[in-house]
Amino acid sequence: MKKEEQKAKQTAKVKDKGQNDLKMKNQIASKNQKGKSKNVQGVKRKKQEVEEEEENSDESEDESDMEEDDSDVSDSGEVTGYTDHNKDWLKPAKSGEADSDNDDSEDDIPDDFSDDELSDDDSDEDDENSDEDDEDLLPVEKKAKKLEKKQARDKSRQEYIGQLRKDLCTYYSYNDFLMEKLMQIFPLEIHEFLEANEVQRPVTIRTNTLKTRRRDLAQALINRGVNLDPIGKWSKVGLVVYDSQVPLGATPEYLAGHYMLQGGSSFLPVMALAPQENERILDMASAPGGKTTYIAALMKNTGTIFANDANKDRAKAIVGNIHRMGITNTVISNYDGRIYPTIMKGFDRVLLDAPCSGTGVIAKDVEVKINKDEKDIQRCSHLQRELILAAIDSCDAKSSTGAYIVYSTCSILVEENEAVINYALKKRNVKLVPTGLDFGREGFVKFEKHRFHQNMKLTKRFYPHTHNLDGFFVAKLKKFSNKVPVDPDKQGTTENVTEQQETVVVNQSSEDKGQSSEEISQKSPETKTMKKKQTNVKKDKQGKSKWMSTKGNKKQFKPGQFKKFKNTSKGKK
Amino acid sequence: MRPLTEEETKIFFEKLSKYIGENIKLLLDRPDGTYCFRLHKDRVFYVREEIMKLAGNIARKNLISMGTCFGKFTGSQKFKLHITALDFIAPYAKYKVWVKPSAEQQFVYGHNVMKSGLGRITENTPQYQGVIVYSMNDLPLGFGVAAKTTQECRRADPMAIVSFHQSDIGEYIRSEEKLV
């Protein structure tokens, strides 16, 4: 026991020493008594803490005092007075150790200024004074005093964070809810992020490769007094515009469809989608058609693109852009994306740039700072879940070239991104694949209370302060089976137990066969539940007929279902 | 969505031939697939056959556009050619008008082409002939109708109208919602 205590004291002492020395450095110029007494007080505080710890460890004060007396060579029989004797006790040992531990700085400074002795003397006096004060009090009162002091110092981390959040909210005029969310995502770089949101992103344009080449376009625009540069190595069609003497949205080149005004981040989902020629592609929420026209350009006007948007007025913008850019392979429709699989299926690739809260583009729309709350996010998240299922259902797993789904949002909130993907992974036979974008941050696998599928790191996040793009999220999914796992709550509860046992066995066998290429993922519970459902489909013919019928499909879009599913899946786990 | 009737086809082709003459058949006999004209909500769409068939899946009220919109039939059964058709009629155009850079803006803002802004004009352009308007660096800007023959243009005074404005690429911005 004794040795342990001493060690504890020793370490505490060493810390104090370090602090002292640092402070000394600052106060070299003014070597007055006050500064030193402060230091000493600091030392005392620390010691008090140590003391408290000792007391907490079921030892009476007297006993500990006694032990100190035994161990110490110097004399200072008082309770708090062991500051000094501790130091004395440390000194010889330290000088011996310092040589070996190359702690030159600590040794040198006290030697140079001979502060060590001074501080010792001071501490003697001060300690005596304070001891005299303390002696008037009962031991209990002393402890109460110490505790009070400690509490005053130990404001909890929560309080500090809360204060910081409040201040940031006031300074950057956010609402408390959004700021909390942002601080969860950026615990360290929140300030950079908020600052980046105050600055506009550079204007970027995308060359329409169907009509012109980037070099020709750049030359034509430079002749009109536009100052521009290539956007970066990652895109061959993008140009950044620094300043322009003419309105970029009204030059003859723009009207002739040689380029599109488009944020740099909007290139990313299309690059991730990597459309091939002669494919059938669905763009589920396409207005105003920036990404659609990029897809068409990559496909060189072959194949077919279905550009859909739920808003009829916004769909008109698609018409304008598509005709302006000279794209002929596109059909524009106006449906709610959630019912798209009932209209058409069998797409090789599906792009879902889902409607979102827009927390990644605060620089563009400052309203977001204030007018988003918990409910808005939930509403978005729910719609996104419905849309991603519809997108997956529209895609054909048997496609020879693709069967890819790209999900993107201009939001940075986890609720609208990783959580939605995770939901899709549970609900459908899809797996995450690399996006093919070689920059950007990895998606969250762990976030606060959430634990996502471990392949979630294949998704990409883009932030204004790190990439100078709008905040963006891109995930690429591959569909590996057209079967839709049956919702487990459609079966009876009694059946569930037996099924669970069965499915475990089937699960193992399917693992042996190596049905899916994702070896790692099979360990995680999410895919296991997914597999279970998959096997359920095979077993349960009734269930099969249910998902085959369109009625069954429609049922999945009812909002209530999701909650039910969540409960049951938890229960299963 | 339906094929054009006999009468509609006649009206439509008559209008088209004003700009591209007998080149219409080049639009229909293409080496890269079968293309066809389809009528949807009074609009005429020029679209590849496979795309047209796939678009059949989409209900009439939800289908907004497919392929390229060429124009629309007015209430009095006349055909109005839209700017969206420019991509297909510009390459086959028989008569062209080039405008100077200074007059470019004027034209894309919806004004007629004056003699002062005229850069070049195809030889032997008859009066009231449909013409495609180009900028001096061969960027199609729109189409119009020749107000004077080439011969008359030479002697016209600077403020005289050379070509009446019909449609220009500025409409993509000015009347985006009226395109389809």
Side-chain angles (χ1 to χ4, degrees):
Chain A
M1 266 318 277
K2 266 188 190 175
K3 278 185 180 176
E4 281 175 14
E5 268 177 35
Q6 281 174 1
K7 269 187 187 172
K9 277 179 209 164
Q10 196 176 343
T11 50
K13 265 267 91 122
V14 171
K15 274 182 200 165
D16 293 347
K17 260 255 161 179
Q19 280 187 346
N20 261 346
D21 293 342
L22 278 175
K23 282 182 182 172
M24 287 298 162
K25 274 184 198 168
N26 297 334
Q27 293 166 351
I28 286 162
S30 60
K31 274 192 197 171
N32 55 2
Q33 290 276 330
K34 276 185 186 175
K36 274 154 214 165
S37 67
K38 262 187 202 168
N39 289 339
V40 174
Q41 276 172 359
V43 173
K44 258 167 69 187
R45 262 191 218 151
K46 280 277 174 182
K47 244 150 261 162
Q48 282 163 357
E49 274 181 351
V50 174
E51 241 186 345
E52 275 174 13
E53 279 166 18
E54 282 169 6
E55 285 158 14
N56 288 338
S57 62
D58 298 336
E59 278 186 271
S60 73
E61 214 178 329
D62 296 10
E63 272 177 5
S64 64
D65 280 359
M66 287 298 288
E67 280 161 16
E68 280 156 22
D69 286 337
D70 292 341
S71 62
D72 291 336
V73 187
S74 71
D75 53 334
S76 60
E78 282 150 345
V79 183
T80 41
Y82 66 90
T83 1
D84 307 313
H85 63 235
N86 266 353
K87 259 191 182 171
D88 292 344
W89 175 81
L90 261 174
K91 253 184 189 170
K94 202 195 156 196
S95 61
E97 282 169 9
D99 292 336
S100 59
D101 291 346
N102 67 29
D103 265 354
D104 296 328
S105 57
E106 280 196 22
D107 277 335
D108 289 346
I109 295 164
D111 284 344
D112 289 347
F113 305 106
S114 68
D115 275 339
D116 233 2
E117 294 160 33
L118 274 173
S119 70
D120 275 5
D121 295 348
D122 291 340
S123 68
D124 270 350
E125 290 165 17
D126 266 24
D127 279 332
E128 276 163 13
N129 293 336
S130 63
D131 288 342
E132 280 164 13
D133 295 341
D134 284 351
E135 268 173 335
D136 302 338
L137 302 167
L138 290 169
V140 183
E141 283 175 318
K142 267 187 224 167
K143 275 182 206 165
K145 217 177 175 183
K146 282 173 206 162
L147 201 67
E148 228 168 61
K149 269 186 193 169
K150 197 188 174 191
Q151 278 172 345
R153 251 180 305 122
D154 287 1
K155 251 191 184 176
S156 68
R157 184 185 156 79
Q158 293 286 317
E159 285 172 71
Y160 280 118
I161 296 279
Q163 187 59 45
L164 176 64
R165 189 169 74 225
K166 249 187 198 169
D167 293 346
L168 287 174
C169 281
T170 337
Y171 187 76
Y172 293 102
S173 58
Y174 282 74
N175 68 8
D176 202 52
F177 165 76
L178 187 60
M179 185 57 80
E180 193 181 345
K181 291 275 173 204
L182 294 176
M183 285 177 81
Q184 285 170 1
I185 296 170
F186 306 109
L188 300 175
E189 36 188 0
I190 178 79
H191 183 247
E192 285 89 343
F193 175 76
L194 295 174
E195 276 299 323
N197 277 343
E198 301 301 307
V199 189
Q200 288 290 326
R201 301 278 83 74
V203 178
T204 51
I205 59 177
R206 180 177 56 77
T207 319
N208 182 12
T209 47
L210 293 172
K211 288 205 170 182
T212 183
R213 283 174 299 179
R214 183 163 77 168
R215 200 180 338 127
D216 299 343
L217 174 67
Q219 196 53 53
L221 287 177
I222 286 168
N223 289 343
R224 292 196 187 276
V226 181
N227 186 4
L228 43 72
D229 248 344
I231 194 168
K233 274 182 186 166
W234 52 275
S235 175
K236 284 183 178 171
V237 292
L239 288 165
V240 179
V241 178
Y242 298 117
D243 63 286
S244 167
Q245 291 166 7
V246 288
L248 271 176
T251 64
E253 280 78 19
Y254 177 83
L255 295 173
H258 288 191
Y259 65 91
M260 180 94 188
L261 279 167
Q262 195 172 17
S265 55
S266 301
F267 297 14
L268 303 169
V270 181
M271 287 162 68
L273 189 72
Q276 308 294 310
E277 283 174 37
N278 295 312
E279 281 188 326
R280 198 192 299 173
I281 291 181
L282 170 64
D283 188 353
M284 255 197 161
S286 58
K291 295 181 192 74
T292 314
T293 49
Y294 191 15
I295 293 172
L298 289 177
M299 291 167 74
K300 301 196 176 75
N301 249 339
T302 61
T304 316
I305 302 173
F306 279 78
N308 181 62
D309 202 273
N311 186 333
K312 202 160 194 171
D313 291 328
R314 273 167 64 78
K316 280 178 180 158
I318 315 176
V319 176
N321 278 325
I322 277 180
H323 282 94
R324 186 169 58 79
M325 307 287 269
I327 286 155
T328 55
N329 64 347
T330 306
V331 178
I332 301 162
S333 62
N334 166 230
Y335 278 111
D336 187 337
R338 289 173 288 186
I339 57 160
Y340 217 90
T342 62
I343 292 145
M344 225 179 151
K345 282 184 176 182
F347 290 96
D348 295 311
R349 284 160 207 263
V350 180
L351 174 66
L352 173 58
D353 184 37
C356 66
S357 61
T359 47
V361 287
I362 293 173
K364 259 189 213 164
D365 180 16
V366 285
E367 294 281 289
V368 176
K369 283 178 178 182
I370 300 156
N371 64 12
K372 292 284 178 258
D373 62 7
E374 184 87 53
K375 269 190 182 163
D376 291 312
I377 305 298
Q378 274 175 358
R379 214 174 291 130
C380 275
S381 182
H382 183 248
L383 178 64
Q384 285 155 357
R385 279 161 212 251
E386 289 179 310
L387 282 173
I388 197 169
L389 290 194
I392 293 168
D393 288 339
S394 310
C395 186
D396 180 19
K398 294 191 187 84
S399 157
S400 56
T401 53
Y404 290 106
I405 298 110
V406 169
Y407 175 84
S408 68
T409 61
C410 58
S411 167
I412 51 166
L413 297 182
V414 173
E415 288 84 348
E416 297 180 70
N417 297 328
E418 280 89 348
V420 176
I421 297 294
N422 211 45
Y423 174 77
L425 289 176
K426 281 181 190 171
K427 280 286 219 176
R428 291 290 184 275
N429 290 329
V430 287
K431 62 179 182 184
L432 276 164
V433 290
T435 53
L437 304 167
D438 53 359
F439 65 114
R441 300 250 184 105
E442 288 177 355
F444 289 105
V445 179
K446 290 184 205 166
F447 183 77
E448 299 277 301
K449 62 190 175 187
H450 301 289
R451 294 292 174 271
F452 298 120
H453 193 284
Q454 39 187 311
N455 276 9
M456 203 61 79
K457 60 177 182 289
L458 296 177
T459 63
K460 290 281 181 193
R461 288 177 151 263
F462 300 89
Y463 297 131
H465 58 287
T466 51
H467 307 102
N468 202 15
L469 296 169
D470 292 325
F472 224 77
F473 174 83
V474 181
K476 189 174 186 181
L477 298 161
K478 182 165 174 69
K479 189 174 182 183
F480 57 85
S481 166
N482 273 338
K483 281 173 182 159
V484 178
V486 173
D487 224 341
D489 48 285
K490 278 176 188 170
Q491 283 133 23
T493 44
T494 47
E495 281 174 61
N496 262 345
V497 184
T498 51
E499 258 173 38
Q500 232 177 329
Q501 289 167 346
E502 276 178 351
T503 47
V504 171
V505 180
V506 179
N507 220 2
Q508 282 171 348
S509 66
S510 70
E511 267 176 29
D512 294 343
K513 282 176 201 166
Q515 252 189 347
S516 85
S517 58
E518 276 184 317
E519 300 279 333
I520 331 144
S521 63
Q522 289 182 347
K523 287 165 196 166
S524 70
E526 287 107 38
T527 36
K528 265 193 183 171
T529 52
M530 196 172 74
K531 279 263 165 68
K532 276 173 203 168
K533 277 163 232 152
Q534 197 183 329
T535 44
N536 284 352
V537 174
K538 284 175 200 163
K539 302 235 153 193
D540 201 311
K541 282 197 175 177
Q542 280 187 332
K544 200 171 183 179
S545 62
K546 266 180 193 168
W547 69 257
M548 291 269 274
S549 68
T550 49
K551 217 180 175 185
N553 262 344
K554 269 181 188 170
K555 270 185 181 173
Q556 280 162 357
F557 299 118
K558 280 187 182 171
Q561 295 284 35
F562 165 57
K563 273 183 192 168
K564 273 185 202 168
F565 169 74
K566 217 179 179 183
N567 289 338
T568 48
S569 69
K570 267 182 194 168
K572 265 203 165 182
K573 274 177 203 171
Chain B
M1 181 172 58
R2 62 169 173 81
L4 277 70
T5 61
E6 195 84 359
E7 202 195 339
E8 283 163 348
T9 314
K10 195 169 149 259
I11 299 167
F12 173 55
F13 279 12
E14 240 168 49
K15 185 79 171 187
L16 262 190
S17 64
K18 279 182 182 164
Y19 298 92
I20 59 175
E22 62 274 23
N23 287 338
I24 295 173
K25 62 175 181 288
L26 292 175
L27 284 177
L28 292 168
D29 308 329
R30 283 172 60 153
D32 57 337
T34 356
Y35 281 73
C36 55
F37 290 102
R38 280 292 177 278
L39 189 82
H40 172 66
K41 289 183 184 168
D42 286 337
R43 263 76 175 168
V44 175
F45 290 94
Y46 177 63
V47 62
R48 204 167 65 230
E49 209 161 21
E50 307 107 71
I51 296 174
M52 182 266 292
K53 279 175 182 161
L54 285 170
N57 286 326
I58 291 167
R60 206 178 303 163
K61 80 176 204 317
N62 296 95
L63 181 66
I64 293 175
S65 159
M66 56 175 172
T68 309
C69 176
F70 261 52
K72 70 166 186 179
F73 280 100
T74 61
S76 53
Q77 282 303 299
K78 282 178 183 138
F79 188 77
K80 185 171 183 285
L81 203 60
H82 279 172
I83 187 62
T84 47
L86 186 67
D87 274 344
F88 288 95
I89 56 173
Y92 304 118
K94 299 188 91 175
Y95 297 96
K96 299 175 185 178
V97 167
W98 286 264
V99 294
K100 290 174 182 165
S102 53
E104 248 177 50
Q105 197 182 34
Q106 220 181 3
F107 181 74
V108 299
Y109 278 45
H111 299 291
N112 298 328
V113 180
M114 306 283 189
K115 170 69 171 54
S116 59
L118 184 68
R120 281 199 294 168
I121 185 165
T122 314
E123 280 295 316
N124 301 323
T125 309
Q127 198 174 19
Y128 307 130
Q129 164 70 41
V131 290
I132 309 295
V133 180
Y134 282 79
S135 72
M136 286 312 275
N137 44 12
D138 278 332
L139 204 68
L141 297 177
F143 42 84
V145 169
K148 290 181 166 57
T149 64
T150 312
Q151 295 301 321
E152 285 167 348
C153 281
R154 293 211 173 103
R155 280 173 266 115
D157 65 272
M159 291 315 285
I161 293 167
V162 175
S163 162
F164 296 116
H165 168 272
Q166 277 189 329
S167 194
D168 65 85
I169 53 176
E171 282 171 31
Y172 282 121
I173 294 178
R174 288 206 305 278
S175 49
E176 191 178 50
E177 68 282 358
K178 285 180 223 149
L179 287 176
V180 169

